[in-house]
Amino acid sequence: MNAPDFDLADAHRYFAASCFNLAWELIDKPDRTPDEDERMTQHNQASLWHWSQRPDCQARNLSIGYWQSSRIHALLGRVDEAKRYAELCLAHTFAEEAFLRGYAHEALARAALLAGDTAEGARQLSTATAFAAQVTDDEDRQLLQSDLKSLQAR
């Protein structure tokens, strides 16, 4: 196979971000069609793959991608996949800041609640709330707390 006539690193950088944002737009869309649900999943997976090909890919980048994947699968009612991606998210956050660690536990709580496991959901919410209290950036802390409140209302 011949080398492409474009900068491959630039392509991975572009598609990692672009696909993530396209998936996010569909997450926020209230009335998705089944085709849009599938595209949402595909955009997320493409984003994750492009990140994994970047030389500057770090655990935090994968954590965010896995979190988005968990959220997507939770939206689609896919309990096992939501949990699997939440666990992958957590696995990539151990050395990361409280914001990402809190979101990993938010994803685990969301998956547990979707599965009907209220005890595990409450445990994960408690852990996520403790991490949220450690977030020093006001905007990030409020974002995480807002997502946690949406789960507590369930």
Side-chain angles (χ1 to χ4, degrees), residues 10-64:
D10 284 345
H12 288 309
R13 188 173 15 268
Y14 172 81
F15 286 113
S18 177
C19 291
F20 181 90
N21 292 335
L22 289 168
W24 199 259
E25 288 174 18
L26 289 167
I27 288 170
D28 285 340
K29 187 175 181 193
D31 296 316
R32 289 180 312 277
T33 66
D35 286 342
E36 289 170 325
D37 287 344
E38 185 61 27
R39 280 201 326 263
M40 178 175 59
T41 303
Q42 291 169 348
H43 288 310
N44 167 261
Q45 292 300 297
S47 174
L48 273 167
W49 184 80
H50 283 287
W51 263 112
S52 75
Q53 302 305 299
R54 291 177 57 169
D56 62 340
C57 181
Q58 297 184 14
R60 71 175 285 106
N61 307 116
L62 296 175
S63 169
I64 293 165

Side-chain angles (χ1 to χ4, degrees), residues 100-135:
L100 293 179
R101 294 177 78 188
Y103 262 109
H105 289 281
E106 180 269 350
L108 287 165
R110 189 174 299 276
L113 293 171
L114 182 63
D117 188 344
T118 55
E120 178 63 11
R123 189 176 77 73
Q124 293 296 339
L125 272 171
S126 177
T127 303
T129 300
F131 279 118
Q134 298 173 30
V135 176

